[in-house]
Amino acid sequence: MAITMEKSLFIFLFIAITSIASTQAGNFNITNKCNYTVWAAAVPGGGVKLNTGESWNMNIANGTNNARIWGRTNCTFDNSGVGKCQTGDCNNTLECKTFGTPPNTILEFALNMYNNLDFYDVSLVQGFNIPIKLTPSSSSCGMVNCTRNITDECPAQLKVPGGCNNPCTTFGTSEYCCDLSSAKSVATNASATCTPTNYSKFFKDRCPSAYSYPKDDATSTYTCMGGTTYDVVFCP
Ligand SMILES: *[C@@H]1O[C@H](CO)[C@@H](O)[C@H](O)[C@H]1NC(C)=O
Ligand SMILES: *[C@@H]1O[C@H](CO)[C@@H](O)[C@H](O)[C@H]1NC(C)=O
Ligand SMILES: *[C@@H]1O[C@H](CO)[C@@H](O)[C@H](O)[C@H]1NC(C)=O
Ligand SMILES: *[C@@H]1O[C@H](CO)[C@@H](O)[C@H](O)[C@H]1NC(C)=O
Ligand SMILES: *[C@@H]1O[C@H](CO)[C@@H](O)[C@H](O)[C@H]1NC(C)=O
Ligand SMILES: *[C@@H]1O[C@H](CO)[C@@H](O)[C@H](O)[C@H]1NC(C)=O
Ligand SMILES: *[C@@H]1O[C@H](CO)[C@@H](O)[C@H](O)[C@H]1NC(C)=O
Ligand SMILES: *[C@@H]1O[C@H](CO)[C@@H](O)[C@H](O)[C@H]1NC(C)=O
Ligand SMILES: *[C@@H]1O[C@H](CO)[C@@H](O)[C@H](O)[C@H]1NC(C)=O
């Protein structure tokens, strides 16, 4: 009888501890080191408000393709999580289900793809709002970052409140949009031309490990073994 009670207590504790662990466990630890509040966003994943120094430990499921993590600035949300942000807004919700609006510095992921590899990159294809750094837990995998404050140096034509826009959003021409799925770029036959431009070079010069224009694959994508955990820092 005593043994049974002990056993069931043990099983109860085991279940309780493992379920706490599984709700807290995450393969991404996102920290805000900016001296202003950032509303972190992930799709899939949602979003949370991070004051300076706060972290959000979240999980993106094995096998997820086309995931994004980014930060939003200057947001106001009501108690039900409805509101808006100056940069990176996701359809007026605190917990994102859709990607953010430009300009926003983006981390892109495809987890456990070929050979169980993770693919990731930092992208300025949607412009820049916050400096960012991604560090895989395994030191054999490449770190990616964009640590310069590009907002500060932004060409006048691309300047918008809170960030530096991408030239596709600003000008909407095939030269800048490539095959982004914008109606404008389809209408102007974007696939015809897609090479670096003086604007993409402006971004690339400042953040060499980032995607600077839609076809900038060669120098920008990194891989790491599936199951890796990643630290994301805003304003590293
Ligand atoms: C996340 O990162 C922060 C800042 O480096 C650290 O203090 C915290 O312990 C980390 N959280 C987890 C769950 O690893
Ligand atoms: C935040 O940091 C920036 C850049 O270092 C600085 O210009 C600004 O004054 C700081 N703002 C606050 C509120 O500390
Ligand atoms: C955006 O939010 C509106 C209002 O809640 C909703 O009707 C719409 O489906 C959402 N759009 C997307 C793309 O999720
Ligand atoms: C950012 O990445 C570049 C290129 O990989 C590297 O040289 C630099 O040290 C990194 N900066 C930080 C702050 O991690
Ligand atoms: C970047 O520069 C902008 C514009 O000068 C400034 O408002 C912002 O605080 C700076 N951000 C950081 C992280 O230094
Ligand atoms: C928030 O908006 C104000 C007013 O436009 C601006 O001065 C400030 O730099 C913005 N903050 C951030 C973090 O972008
Ligand atoms: C778009 O450009 C490509 C390459 O120049 C050309 O082969 C194709 O016919 C064009 N498509 C349209 C719809 O004009
Ligand atoms: C890019 O070229 C256009 C047209 O020549 C010019 O107006 C613009 O200032 C240039 N931008 C940069 C960042 O050099
Ligand atoms: C992810 O799922 C695949 C397919 O089920 C499996 O082979 C792989 O071991 C898993 N990887 C991790 C890191 O859990």
Side-chain angles (χ1 to χ4, degrees), residues 27-30 40-46 56 58-60 66-72 99 104-109 121-123 132 134 230-234:
N27 45 4
F28 291 89
N29 184 14
I30 303 170
V43 171
W56 178 32
M58 52 87 65
N59 192 62
I60 298 180
N66 201 19
R68 278 188 190 178
I69 292 175
W70 71 99
R72 294 167 286 174
F99 291 156
N104 56 339
T105 323
I106 294 166
L107 295 172
E108 299 179 302
F109 299 92
D121 62 74
V122 55
S123 171
I132 203 163
L134 175 80
Y230 297 91
D231 277 333
V232 173
V233 175
F234 298 123

Side-chain angles (χ1 to χ4, degrees), residues 76-159:
T76 50
F77 290 108
D78 66 18
N79 290 337
S80 59
V82 175
K84 64 176 200 288
C85 302
Q86 187 178 55
T87 63
D89 187 71
C90 60
N91 198 24
N92 304 114
T93 58
L94 172 60
E95 296 190 27
C96 295
K97 292 190 170 59
T98 59
F99 291 156
T101 53
N104 56 339
T105 323
I106 294 166
L107 295 172
E108 299 179 302
F109 299 92
L111 302 178
N112 317 91
M113 299 287 122
Y114 315 102
N115 296 323
N116 200 29
L117 286 172
D118 293 350
F119 291 73
Y120 55 93
D121 62 74
V122 55
S123 171
L124 299 174
V125 169
Q126 292 231 83
F128 174 96
N129 65 339
I130 308 177
I132 203 163
K133 178 174 168 174
L134 175 80
T135 313
S137 56
S138 168
S139 58
S140 63
C141 305
M143 167 264 290
V144 293
N145 70 49
C146 181
T147 58
R148 283 276 280 267
N149 188 351
I150 289 180
T151 302
D152 236 1
E153 309 172 55
C154 188
Q157 300 92 325
L158 303 183
K159 261 199 167 100

Side-chain angles (χ1 to χ4, degrees), residues 8 10 19 22 29 31-32 37 43 48 72 89 103 130 139 153 160 163 177 216:
S8 51
F10 176 79
S19 61
S22 68
N29 184 14
T31 301
N32 177 23
T37 300
V43 171
V48 299
R72 294 167 286 174
D89 187 71
I130 308 177
S139 58
E153 309 172 55
V160 289
C177 295
D216 189 8

Side-chain angles (χ1 to χ4, degrees), residues 36-37 73-74 86 161-162:
Y36 46 84
T37 300
T73 58
N74 266 335
Q86 187 178 55

